Amino acid sequence: ATAIREKAKAVFEKELAESKADLAALNKAVAALEKGMAGSFLQSRDVGTVRRLLGQNSDIIEADRQEVLSFLSGQQGAEYAPSSGEITGILKQLGDEMAADLEDAVKAEAAAKENYEELMAAKAKEVETLQAQIEDKSARLGNIGVEVAEKMNDIEDTKEALAADEKFLKELDEGCSTKTAEWEE
């Protein structure tokens, strides 16, 4: 369970870092467009990130995707008027969706972490209970071993007492036979 949790956490942390970087690039794009600096944005590294995000997001209407991709490739050039805000709106919407997805992912990770901690606490309690049972059974096994040894000693003592009693009986029989023979004479 720990290995699975660590692997899931590593995947989450990687995706979290990527999502934050993507969201930051998208926010830079929106800010640049709102300031009327579309030309400088189109020459930045963030253009590639925004293109990739548009390609990955299946929730965007295809016409909107094509319009933004056309803008990013510089085909609209001077035609884009920042005041119209269509591309800015599309990018803001994409950013809002990504922020919501990121928030959901963080909540899911927190829930997974809580579930893991509850599982580990339950397993620790289970181990503690089982350890107590093992100790109890070990003690009972030790007591049974002592009882068996005592019974074996009792058997040996009883055998020795029986042998002594049989010897005494034999001697008594011989003594009685001798006395009977003496009295009969």
Side-chain angles (χ1 to χ4, degrees):
T2 300
I4 292 171
R5 177 69 199 121
E6 288 173 355
K7 184 177 179 182
K9 182 181 178 187
V11 167
F12 168 76
E13 288 175 351
K14 180 182 176 194
E15 289 176 359
L16 180 67
E18 288 175 1
S19 293
K20 284 183 177 182
D22 292 346
L23 197 54
L26 200 55
N27 288 336
K28 285 180 188 177
V30 169
L33 292 174
E34 287 178 338
K35 290 179 184 177
M37 299 172 30
S40 64
F41 168 70
L42 290 175
Q43 295 174 6
S44 72
R45 287 183 278 157
D46 294 330
V47 170
T49 302
V50 174
R51 268 195 191 108
R52 183 177 49 79
L53 292 174
L54 287 168
Q56 290 175 347
N57 193 320
S58 61
D59 295 336
I60 297 176
I61 299 170
E62 189 59 32
D64 290 345
R65 180 189 331 268
Q66 291 307 318
E67 185 168 343
V68 174
L69 289 173
S70 172
F71 168 74
L72 292 176
S73 63
Q75 292 176 1
Q76 288 184 345
E79 293 175 25
Y80 179 69
S83 59
S84 71
E86 187 175 350
I87 292 176
T88 305
I90 294 169
L91 293 178
K92 280 184 177 179
Q93 179 185 354
L94 179 61
D96 291 345
E97 290 172 3
M98 287 178 58
D101 290 346
L102 183 61
E103 186 177 328
D104 290 345
V106 168
K107 287 178 183 177
E109 173 63 15
K113 181 180 178 185
E114 184 178 333
N115 288 341
Y116 168 76
E117 289 171 355
E118 289 173 1
L119 173 68
M120 292 308 290
K123 289 297 179 183
K125 188 173 182 178
E126 184 179 340
V127 166
E128 185 179 312
T129 301
L130 292 173
Q131 187 65 35
Q133 288 178 355
I134 289 171
E135 289 172 7
D136 181 49
K137 289 181 181 183
S138 294
R140 286 180 29 207
L141 183 60
N143 291 338
I144 290 171
V146 168
E147 287 178 20
V148 167
E150 288 175 353
K151 298 296 180 192
M152 294 301 285
N153 286 339
D154 287 349
I155 289 173
E156 289 300 317
D157 292 346
T158 303
K159 284 181 181 178
E160 289 173 8
L162 178 62
D165 288 346
E166 287 176 346
K167 181 180 176 186
F168 177 72
L169 180 60
K170 186 177 178 183
E171 289 174 1
L172 191 58
D173 280 342
E174 288 175 7
C176 283
S177 298
T178 307
K179 290 289 182 187
T180 304
E182 284 177 7
W183 280 93
E184 289 180 358
E185 297 179 2

Coordinates of all heavy atoms in Angstrom, one line a residue, residues 70-166:
S70 N -4.9 29.7 -35.1 CA -4.6 30.6 -36.3 C -3.9 31.8 -35.7 O -2.9 32.3 -36.3 CB -5.9 30.9 -37.0 OG -5.7 31.9 -37.9
F71 N -4.4 32.4 -34.6 CA -3.8 33.6 -34.0 C -2.4 33.3 -33.6 O -1.4 34.0 -33.8 CB -4.6 34.0 -32.8 CG -3.9 35.1 -32.0 CD1 -3.8 36.4 -32.5 CD2 -3.4 34.7 -30.8 CE1 -3.1 37.3 -31.7 CE2 -2.7 35.7 -30.0 CZ -2.6 37.0 -30.5
L72 N -2.2 32.1 -32.9 CA -0.8 31.8 -32.4 C 0.2 31.6 -33.5 O 1.4 31.8 -33.3 CB -0.9 30.5 -31.5 CG -1.7 30.7 -30.2 CD1 -1.8 29.3 -29.5 CD2 -1.1 31.7 -29.3
S73 N -0.3 31.1 -34.7 CA 0.6 30.9 -35.8 C 0.9 32.2 -36.5 O 1.7 32.2 -37.5 CB 0.1 29.8 -36.7 OG -1.1 30.3 -37.3
G74 N 0.2 33.3 -36.1 CA 0.5 34.6 -36.7 C -0.3 34.8 -37.9 O 0.0 35.8 -38.6
Q75 N -1.3 34.0 -38.3 CA -2.0 34.2 -39.5 C -3.0 35.4 -39.4 O -3.3 35.9 -40.4 CB -2.8 32.9 -39.8 CG -1.8 31.8 -40.2 CD -2.6 30.5 -40.5 OE1 -3.8 30.4 -40.4 NE2 -1.9 29.4 -40.8
Q76 N -3.4 35.8 -38.2 CA -4.3 36.9 -38.1 C -3.5 38.2 -38.1 O -4.0 39.2 -38.5 CB -5.1 36.8 -36.8 CG -6.2 35.7 -36.9 CD -7.1 35.7 -35.7 OE1 -6.8 36.3 -34.7 NE2 -8.2 35.0 -35.8
G77 N -2.3 38.1 -37.6 CA -1.4 39.3 -37.6 C -2.1 40.5 -37.1 O -2.5 40.6 -35.9
A78 N -2.1 41.5 -37.9 CA -2.7 42.8 -37.5 C -4.2 42.8 -37.4 O -4.8 43.7 -36.9 CB -2.2 43.9 -38.5
E79 N -4.8 41.7 -37.8 CA -6.3 41.6 -37.8 C -6.8 41.5 -36.4 O -7.9 41.9 -36.1 CB -6.8 40.4 -38.6 CG -6.5 40.5 -40.1 CD -7.0 39.2 -40.8 OE1 -7.8 38.5 -40.2 OE2 -6.4 38.9 -41.8
Y80 N -6.0 41.0 -35.4 CA -6.5 40.8 -34.1 C -6.5 42.1 -33.3 O -5.6 42.8 -33.2 CB -5.6 39.8 -33.3 CG -6.1 39.6 -31.9 CD1 -7.3 38.9 -31.7 CD2 -5.4 40.1 -30.8 CE1 -7.8 38.8 -30.4 CE2 -5.9 39.9 -29.5 CZ -7.1 39.3 -29.3 OH -7.6 39.1 -28.1
A81 N -7.7 42.4 -32.9 CA -7.9 43.6 -32.1 C -8.1 43.2 -30.6 O -9.1 42.5 -30.3 CB -9.1 44.4 -32.6
P82 N -7.2 43.5 -29.7 CA -7.3 43.1 -28.3 C -8.6 43.5 -27.7 O -9.1 42.9 -26.8 CB -6.1 43.8 -27.6 CG -5.2 44.1 -28.7 CD -6.0 44.3 -29.9
S83 N -9.2 44.6 -28.2 CA -10.5 45.0 -27.6 C -11.6 44.1 -27.8 O -12.5 44.0 -27.1 CB -10.8 46.4 -28.1 OG -10.9 46.4 -29.5
S84 N -11.5 43.3 -29.0 CA -12.6 42.4 -29.2 C -12.6 41.2 -28.2 O -13.6 40.7 -27.8 CB -12.5 41.8 -30.7 OG -11.4 40.9 -30.7
G85 N -11.4 40.9 -27.8 CA -11.3 39.9 -26.7 C -11.8 38.5 -26.9 O -11.9 37.7 -26.0
E86 N -12.0 38.1 -28.2 CA -12.5 36.8 -28.4 C -11.5 35.7 -28.0 O -11.8 34.8 -27.3 CB -12.9 36.6 -29.9 CG -13.5 35.3 -30.2 CD -14.0 35.2 -31.7 OE1 -14.0 36.3 -32.3 OE2 -14.4 34.2 -32.1
I87 N -10.2 35.9 -28.5 CA -9.2 35.0 -28.2 C -8.8 35.0 -26.7 O -8.7 34.0 -26.0 CB -7.9 35.2 -29.1 CG1 -8.3 34.9 -30.5 CG2 -6.7 34.5 -28.6 CD1 -7.3 35.2 -31.5
T88 N -8.8 36.2 -26.2 CA -8.6 36.4 -24.7 C -9.6 35.6 -23.9 O -9.3 34.9 -23.0 CB -8.6 37.9 -24.3 OG1 -7.6 38.6 -25.1 CG2 -8.2 38.1 -22.9
G89 N -10.9 35.8 -24.4 CA -12.0 35.1 -23.7 C -11.8 33.6 -23.7 O -12.1 32.8 -22.7
I90 N -11.4 33.1 -24.9 CA -11.2 31.6 -25.1 C -10.1 31.1 -24.1 O -10.2 30.1 -23.4 CB -10.9 31.3 -26.5 CG1 -12.1 31.5 -27.4 CG2 -10.5 29.8 -26.6 CD1 -11.8 31.5 -28.9
L91 N -9.0 31.9 -24.1 CA -7.9 31.5 -23.3 C -8.3 31.6 -21.8 O -7.8 30.8 -21.0 CB -6.7 32.4 -23.6 CG -6.1 32.2 -24.9 CD1 -4.9 33.1 -25.2 CD2 -5.6 30.7 -25.2
K92 N -9.0 32.6 -21.4 CA -9.5 32.8 -20.0 C -10.4 31.6 -19.6 O -10.2 31.0 -18.5 CB -10.3 34.1 -19.8 CG -9.4 35.3 -19.6 CD -10.3 36.5 -19.3 CE -9.4 37.7 -19.0 NZ -10.2 38.9 -18.7
Q93 N -11.2 31.2 -20.5 CA -12.1 30.0 -20.3 C -11.3 28.8 -20.1 O -11.5 28.0 -19.2 CB -13.1 29.9 -21.4 CG -14.0 28.7 -21.2 CD -14.9 28.4 -22.4 OE1 -15.0 29.2 -23.4 NE2 -15.7 27.3 -22.4
L94 N -10.3 28.6 -20.9 CA -9.4 27.5 -20.8 C -8.7 27.5 -19.5 O -8.5 26.5 -18.8 CB -8.4 27.4 -22.0 CG -7.4 26.3 -22.0 CD1 -8.1 25.0 -22.1 CD2 -6.4 26.5 -23.2
G95 N -8.2 28.7 -19.1 CA -7.5 28.9 -17.8 C -8.4 28.5 -16.6 O -8.0 27.9 -15.7
D96 N -9.7 29.0 -16.7 CA -10.6 28.7 -15.6 C -10.9 27.2 -15.5 O -11.0 26.7 -14.4 CB -12.0 29.4 -15.9 CG -11.8 30.9 -15.7 OD1 -10.8 31.4 -15.2 OD2 -12.8 31.7 -16.2
E97 N -11.0 26.5 -16.7 CA -11.2 25.1 -16.6 C -10.0 24.4 -16.1 O -10.2 23.4 -15.3 CB -11.5 24.6 -18.1 CG -12.9 25.0 -18.6 CD -13.1 24.7 -20.1 OE1 -12.2 24.0 -20.7 OE2 -14.1 25.0 -20.6
M98 N -8.8 24.8 -16.5 CA -7.6 24.2 -15.9 C -7.5 24.4 -14.4 O -7.1 23.5 -13.7 CB -6.4 24.8 -16.7 CG -6.2 24.3 -18.1 SD -4.8 25.0 -18.9 CE -3.5 24.5 -17.8
A99 N -7.8 25.6 -14.0 CA -7.8 25.9 -12.5 C -8.8 25.1 -11.8 O -8.4 24.5 -10.7 CB -8.1 27.4 -12.3
A100 N -9.9 24.9 -12.3 CA -10.9 24.0 -11.7 C -10.5 22.6 -11.6 O -10.6 21.9 -10.6 CB -12.3 24.1 -12.4
D101 N -9.9 22.1 -12.8 CA -9.3 20.7 -12.8 C -8.2 20.6 -11.8 O -8.1 19.5 -11.1 CB -8.8 20.4 -14.2 CG -10.0 20.3 -15.2 OD1 -11.1 20.1 -14.8 OD2 -9.7 20.3 -16.4
L102 N -7.4 21.6 -11.7 CA -6.3 21.6 -10.7 C -6.8 21.5 -9.3 O -6.3 20.7 -8.5 CB -5.4 22.8 -10.9 CG -4.1 22.9 -10.0 CD1 -3.2 21.7 -10.3 CD2 -3.4 24.2 -10.3
E103 N -7.8 22.3 -9.0 CA -8.4 22.2 -7.7 C -9.0 20.9 -7.4 O -8.8 20.3 -6.3 CB -9.5 23.3 -7.6 CG -10.1 23.5 -6.2 CD -11.1 24.6 -6.1 OE1 -11.0 25.6 -6.8 OE2 -12.0 24.5 -5.3
D104 N -9.7 20.3 -8.4 CA -10.2 19.0 -8.2 C -9.1 17.9 -8.0 O -9.3 17.0 -7.1 CB -11.1 18.6 -9.4 CG -12.4 19.4 -9.5 OD1 -12.8 20.0 -8.6 OD2 -13.0 19.3 -10.7
A105 N -8.1 18.0 -8.7 CA -6.9 17.1 -8.5 C -6.3 17.2 -7.1 O -6.0 16.2 -6.5 CB -5.9 17.3 -9.6
V106 N -6.2 18.5 -6.6 CA -5.7 18.7 -5.3 C -6.6 18.1 -4.2 O -6.1 17.4 -3.3 CB -5.4 20.2 -5.0 CG1 -5.1 20.5 -3.6 CG2 -4.3 20.7 -5.9
K107 N -7.9 18.2 -4.4 CA -8.9 17.6 -3.5 C -8.8 16.1 -3.5 O -8.8 15.5 -2.5 CB -10.3 18.1 -3.8 CG -10.5 19.6 -3.4 CD -12.0 20.0 -3.8 CE -12.2 21.4 -3.5 NZ -13.5 21.9 -3.9
A108 N -8.7 15.6 -4.7 CA -8.6 14.1 -4.9 C -7.3 13.6 -4.2 O -7.4 12.5 -3.6 CB -8.6 13.7 -6.4
E109 N -6.2 14.3 -4.4 CA -5.0 13.9 -3.7 C -5.1 14.0 -2.2 O -4.6 13.1 -1.5 CB -3.8 14.8 -4.2 CG -2.5 14.6 -3.5 CD -1.9 13.2 -3.7 OE1 -2.4 12.4 -4.6 OE2 -1.0 12.8 -2.9
A110 N -5.7 15.0 -1.7 CA -5.9 15.1 -0.3 C -6.8 13.9 0.2 O -6.5 13.4 1.3 CB -6.6 16.4 0.1
A111 N -7.8 13.6 -0.5 CA -8.7 12.5 -0.1 C -7.9 11.2 -0.2 O -8.0 10.3 0.7 CB -9.9 12.4 -1.0
A112 N -7.1 11.0 -1.2 CA -6.3 9.8 -1.3 C -5.3 9.7 -0.2 O -5.1 8.6 0.4 CB -5.6 9.7 -2.7
K113 N -4.7 10.8 0.2 CA -3.8 10.8 1.3 C -4.5 10.5 2.6 O -4.0 9.7 3.4 CB -3.1 12.2 1.4 CG -2.1 12.3 2.5 CD -1.5 13.7 2.6 CE -0.5 13.8 3.8 NZ 0.0 15.2 3.9
E114 N -5.7 11.0 2.8 CA -6.4 10.7 4.0 C -6.8 9.3 4.1 O -6.7 8.6 5.1 CB -7.7 11.6 4.1 CG -8.5 11.4 5.3 CD -9.7 12.3 5.4 OE1 -9.7 13.4 4.8 OE2 -10.7 12.0 6.1
N115 N -7.3 8.7 2.9 CA -7.6 7.3 2.9 C -6.4 6.4 3.2 O -6.5 5.4 3.9 CB -8.2 6.9 1.5 CG -9.5 7.5 1.3 OD1 -10.3 7.8 2.2 ND2 -9.9 7.6 0.0
Y116 N -5.3 6.8 2.7 CA -4.0 6.0 2.9 C -3.7 6.1 4.4 O -3.4 5.0 5.0 CB -2.9 6.6 2.1 CG -1.5 6.1 2.5 CD1 -1.1 4.8 2.2 CD2 -0.7 6.8 3.3 CE1 0.1 4.3 2.5 CE2 0.6 6.3 3.7 CZ 0.9 5.1 3.3 OH 2.1 4.6 3.7
E117 N -3.8 7.3 5.0 CA -3.5 7.4 6.4 C -4.4 6.6 7.3 O -4.0 5.9 8.3 CB -3.5 8.8 6.9 CG -2.3 9.6 6.3 CD -2.3 11.1 6.5 OE1 -3.3 11.6 7.0 OE2 -1.3 11.8 6.1
E118 N -5.7 6.6 6.9 CA -6.7 5.8 7.6 C -6.4 4.3 7.5 O -6.5 3.5 8.4 CB -8.1 6.1 7.1 CG -8.6 7.4 7.5 CD -10.0 7.8 6.9 OE1 -10.5 7.0 6.1 OE2 -10.4 8.9 7.2
L119 N -6.1 3.9 6.3 CA -5.7 2.5 6.0 C -4.5 2.1 6.8 O -4.5 1.0 7.5 CB -5.4 2.3 4.5 CG -4.9 0.9 4.1 CD1 -5.9 -0.2 4.4 CD2 -4.4 0.9 2.7
M120 N -3.5 2.9 6.9 CA -2.3 2.6 7.6 C -2.5 2.5 9.1 O -2.0 1.7 9.8 CB -1.1 3.6 7.3 CG -0.6 3.5 5.9 SD -0.2 1.8 5.4 CE 1.3 1.6 6.3
A121 N -3.4 3.4 9.6 CA -3.8 3.4 11.0 C -4.5 2.1 11.4 O -4.3 1.5 12.4 CB -4.6 4.6 11.4
A122 N -5.4 1.7 10.5 CA -6.2 0.5 10.7 C -5.3 -0.7 10.6 O -5.4 -1.6 11.5 CB -7.3 0.3 9.6
K123 N -4.3 -0.7 9.7 CA -3.4 -1.8 9.6 C -2.5 -1.9 10.8 O -2.1 -3.0 11.3 CB -2.6 -1.8 8.3 CG -3.4 -2.0 7.1 CD -3.9 -3.5 7.1 CE -4.7 -3.8 5.9 NZ -5.3 -5.1 5.9
A124 N -2.1 -0.7 11.3 CA -1.2 -0.7 12.5 C -1.9 -1.3 13.7 O -1.4 -2.0 14.5 CB -0.7 0.7 12.8
K125 N -3.2 -0.9 13.8 CA -4.0 -1.4 14.9 C -4.2 -2.9 14.8 O -4.1 -3.7 15.7 CB -5.4 -0.7 14.9 CG -6.2 -1.1 16.1 CD -7.5 -0.2 16.2 CE -8.3 -0.6 17.4 NZ -9.5 0.2 17.6
E126 N -4.4 -3.4 13.5 CA -4.6 -4.8 13.3 C -3.3 -5.5 13.6 O -3.3 -6.6 14.2 CB -4.9 -5.0 11.8 CG -5.2 -6.4 11.4 CD -5.5 -6.6 9.9 OE1 -5.9 -5.6 9.3 OE2 -5.4 -7.7 9.4
V127 N -2.1 -5.0 13.2 CA -0.8 -5.6 13.6 C -0.7 -5.7 15.1 O -0.2 -6.7 15.6 CB 0.3 -4.8 12.9 CG1 1.7 -5.2 13.6 CG2 0.4 -5.0 11.4
E128 N -1.1 -4.6 15.8 CA -1.0 -4.6 17.2 C -1.8 -5.7 17.9 O -1.4 -6.4 18.8 CB -1.4 -3.2 17.7 CG -1.2 -3.0 19.2 CD -1.7 -1.6 19.6 OE1 -1.3 -0.6 19.0 OE2 -2.4 -1.5 20.6
T129 N -3.1 -5.8 17.4 CA -4.0 -6.8 17.9 C -3.4 -8.2 17.6 O -3.4 -9.1 18.5 CB -5.4 -6.7 17.2 OG1 -5.9 -5.4 17.5 CG2 -6.3 -7.7 17.7
L130 N -2.9 -8.4 16.4 CA -2.4 -9.7 16.0 C -1.1 -10.1 16.9 O -0.9 -11.2 17.3 CB -2.1 -9.8 14.5 CG -3.3 -9.8 13.6 CD1 -2.9 -9.7 12.2 CD2 -4.2 -11.0 13.9
Q131 N -0.3 -9.0 17.1 CA 0.9 -9.2 17.9 C 0.5 -9.6 19.3 O 1.1 -10.5 19.9 CB 1.7 -7.9 18.0 CG 3.0 -8.1 18.6 CD 4.0 -9.1 17.9 OE1 4.0 -9.1 16.7 NE2 4.8 -9.8 18.6
A132 N -0.6 -9.0 19.9 CA -1.1 -9.4 21.2 C -1.6 -10.8 21.2 O -1.3 -11.6 22.2 CB -2.2 -8.4 21.7
Q133 N -2.3 -11.2 20.1 CA -2.7 -12.6 20.1 C -1.6 -13.6 20.0 O -1.6 -14.6 20.6 CB -3.6 -12.8 18.8 CG -5.0 -12.1 19.0 CD -5.8 -12.2 17.7 OE1 -5.4 -12.8 16.7 NE2 -7.1 -11.8 17.8
I134 N -0.5 -13.2 19.2 CA 0.6 -14.1 19.1 C 1.3 -14.2 20.5 O 1.7 -15.3 20.9 CB 1.6 -13.5 18.1 CG1 1.1 -13.7 16.7 CG2 3.0 -14.2 18.2 CD1 1.9 -13.0 15.6
E135 N 1.4 -13.1 21.2 CA 2.1 -13.2 22.5 C 1.2 -14.0 23.5 O 1.8 -14.8 24.2 CB 2.2 -11.8 23.1 CG 3.3 -11.0 22.4 CD 3.4 -9.5 22.8 OE1 2.7 -9.1 23.7 OE2 4.1 -8.8 22.1
D136 N -0.1 -13.9 23.4 CA -1.0 -14.7 24.3 C -0.9 -16.2 23.9 O -0.7 -17.0 24.9 CB -2.4 -14.2 24.1 CG -3.4 -15.0 24.9 OD1 -3.2 -15.1 26.1 OD2 -4.5 -15.4 24.4
K137 N -0.9 -16.5 22.7 CA -0.8 -17.9 22.3 C 0.6 -18.5 22.6 O 0.7 -19.6 23.0 CB -1.1 -18.0 20.8 CG -2.6 -17.8 20.5 CD -3.0 -18.0 19.1 CE -4.5 -17.7 19.0 NZ -5.0 -17.9 17.6
S138 N 1.6 -17.6 22.5 CA 3.0 -18.1 22.8 C 3.1 -18.4 24.3 O 3.7 -19.4 24.7 CB 4.0 -17.0 22.5 OG 4.1 -16.9 21.1
A139 N 2.4 -17.5 25.1 CA 2.4 -17.8 26.6 C 1.6 -19.0 26.9 O 2.1 -19.8 27.7 CB 1.8 -16.6 27.3
R140 N 0.5 -19.2 26.2 CA -0.3 -20.4 26.4 C 0.5 -21.7 26.0 O 0.5 -22.7 26.7 CB -1.6 -20.4 25.7 CG -2.6 -19.4 26.3 CD -3.9 -19.3 25.6 NE -4.4 -20.4 24.9 CZ -5.2 -20.4 23.9 NH1 -5.6 -19.2 23.5 NH2 -5.6 -21.4 23.3
L141 N 1.2 -21.6 24.9 CA 2.0 -22.7 24.4 C 3.1 -23.0 25.4 O 3.4 -24.2 25.7 CB 2.6 -22.3 23.1 CG 3.5 -23.4 22.4 CD1 2.6 -24.7 22.1 CD2 4.0 -22.9 21.1
G142 N 3.7 -21.9 26.0 CA 4.8 -22.1 27.0 C 4.2 -22.8 28.2 O 4.8 -23.8 28.8
N143 N 3.0 -22.4 28.7 CA 2.4 -23.0 29.8 C 2.0 -24.5 29.6 O 2.2 -25.4 30.4 CB 1.1 -22.3 30.2 CG 1.4 -20.9 30.8 OD1 2.5 -20.7 31.3 ND2 0.4 -20.0 30.7
I144 N 1.6 -24.8 28.4 CA 1.2 -26.2 28.0 C 2.5 -27.0 28.0 O 2.5 -28.1 28.5 CB 0.5 -26.2 26.6 CG1 -0.9 -25.6 26.8 CG2 0.5 -27.6 26.1 CD1 -1.6 -25.5 25.4
G145 N 3.6 -26.4 27.5 CA 4.9 -27.1 27.5 C 5.3 -27.4 28.9 O 5.8 -28.6 29.2
V146 N 5.1 -26.5 29.8 CA 5.5 -26.7 31.2 C 4.6 -27.8 31.8 O 5.1 -28.7 32.5 CB 5.4 -25.4 32.1 CG1 5.4 -25.7 33.5 CG2 6.5 -24.4 31.6
E147 N 3.3 -27.8 31.5 CA 2.4 -28.8 32.0 C 2.7 -30.2 31.5 O 2.7 -31.2 32.2 CB 0.9 -28.4 31.6 CG 0.3 -27.3 32.4 CD -1.1 -27.0 31.9 OE1 -1.7 -27.8 31.3 OE2 -1.5 -25.8 32.2
V148 N 3.1 -30.3 30.2 CA 3.5 -31.5 29.6 C 4.7 -32.1 30.3 O 4.8 -33.3 30.7 CB 3.8 -31.4 28.1 CG1 4.5 -32.6 27.5 CG2 2.4 -31.2 27.4
A149 N 5.7 -31.2 30.6 CA 6.9 -31.6 31.3 C 6.6 -32.1 32.7 O 7.1 -33.1 33.1 CB 7.9 -30.5 31.3
E150 N 5.7 -31.4 33.4 CA 5.3 -31.8 34.7 C 4.6 -33.2 34.7 O 4.8 -34.0 35.5 CB 4.4 -30.8 35.4 CG 5.1 -29.5 35.8 CD 4.2 -28.4 36.3 OE1 2.9 -28.6 36.2 OE2 4.7 -27.4 36.7
K151 N 3.7 -33.4 33.7 CA 3.0 -34.6 33.6 C 4.0 -35.8 33.3 O 3.8 -36.9 33.8 CB 1.9 -34.6 32.5 CG 0.8 -33.5 32.7 CD 0.0 -33.9 33.9 CE -1.1 -32.8 34.1 NZ -1.7 -32.9 35.4
M152 N 5.0 -35.5 32.4 CA 6.0 -36.5 32.1 C 6.7 -36.9 33.4 O 7.0 -38.1 33.7 CB 6.9 -36.0 31.0 CG 6.3 -35.8 29.7 SD 5.5 -37.3 29.0 CE 6.9 -38.2 28.5
N153 N 7.1 -35.9 34.2 CA 7.8 -36.1 35.5 C 6.9 -36.9 36.4 O 7.3 -37.9 37.1 CB 8.2 -34.8 36.2 CG 9.4 -34.2 35.5 OD1 10.1 -34.9 34.8 ND2 9.6 -32.9 35.7
D154 N 5.6 -36.6 36.4 CA 4.6 -37.3 37.3 C 4.5 -38.8 36.8 O 4.4 -39.7 37.6 CB 3.2 -36.7 37.2 CG 3.1 -35.4 37.9 OD1 4.1 -35.0 38.7 OD2 2.1 -34.6 37.8
I155 N 4.5 -39.0 35.5 CA 4.5 -40.4 34.9 C 5.7 -41.1 35.4 O 5.6 -42.3 35.9 CB 4.4 -40.4 33.4 CG1 3.0 -39.9 33.0 CG2 4.7 -41.7 32.8 CD1 2.8 -39.7 31.5
E156 N 6.9 -40.5 35.3 CA 8.1 -41.2 35.8 C 8.1 -41.5 37.3 O 8.4 -42.6 37.7 CB 9.3 -40.3 35.5 CG 9.7 -40.2 34.0 CD 10.0 -41.5 33.3 OE1 10.7 -42.3 34.0 OE2 9.5 -41.8 32.2
D157 N 7.6 -40.5 38.0 CA 7.5 -40.7 39.5 C 6.5 -41.8 39.8 O 6.7 -42.7 40.6 CB 7.0 -39.4 40.2 CG 8.0 -38.3 40.2 OD1 9.2 -38.6 39.9 OD2 7.7 -37.2 40.5
T158 N 5.4 -41.9 39.0 CA 4.4 -42.9 39.2 C 4.9 -44.3 38.8 O 4.7 -45.3 39.5 CB 3.1 -42.6 38.4 OG1 2.6 -41.3 38.8 CG2 2.0 -43.6 38.6
K159 N 5.7 -44.3 37.7 CA 6.3 -45.6 37.3 C 7.3 -46.1 38.4 O 7.3 -47.3 38.7 CB 7.0 -45.4 36.0 CG 6.1 -45.4 34.8 CD 7.0 -45.2 33.5 CE 6.1 -45.1 32.3 NZ 6.9 -45.0 31.1
E160 N 8.1 -45.1 38.9 CA 9.0 -45.5 40.0 C 8.2 -46.0 41.2 O 8.6 -47.0 41.9 CB 9.9 -44.3 40.4 CG 10.9 -44.0 39.3 CD 11.7 -42.7 39.6 OE1 11.6 -42.2 40.7 OE2 12.4 -42.3 38.7
A161 N 7.2 -45.3 41.6 CA 6.4 -45.7 42.8 C 5.7 -47.1 42.5 O 5.7 -47.9 43.4 CB 5.3 -44.7 43.1
L162 N 5.2 -47.3 41.3 CA 4.6 -48.6 40.9 C 5.7 -49.7 41.0 O 5.4 -50.8 41.6 CB 4.0 -48.5 39.5 CG 3.4 -49.8 39.0 CD1 2.2 -50.2 39.9 CD2 3.0 -49.7 37.6
A163 N 6.9 -49.4 40.5 CA 7.9 -50.5 40.6 C 8.2 -50.8 42.1 O 8.4 -51.9 42.5 CB 9.2 -50.0 39.8
A164 N 8.3 -49.7 42.9 CA 8.6 -49.9 44.3 C 7.5 -50.7 45.0 O 7.7 -51.6 45.8 CB 8.8 -48.6 45.0
D165 N 6.2 -50.3 44.6 CA 5.1 -51.0 45.2 C 5.0 -52.5 44.8 O 4.7 -53.4 45.6 CB 3.8 -50.3 44.8 CG 3.6 -49.0 45.5 OD1 4.3 -48.7 46.5 OD2 2.7 -48.2 45.1
E166 N 5.4 -52.7 43.5 CA 5.4 -54.1 43.0 C 6.5 -54.9 43.7 O 6.3 -56.1 44.0 CB 5.6 -54.1 41.5 CG 4.3 -53.7 40.7 CD 4.5 -53.6 39.2 OE1 5.7 -53.6 38.7 OE2 3.5 -53.5 38.5

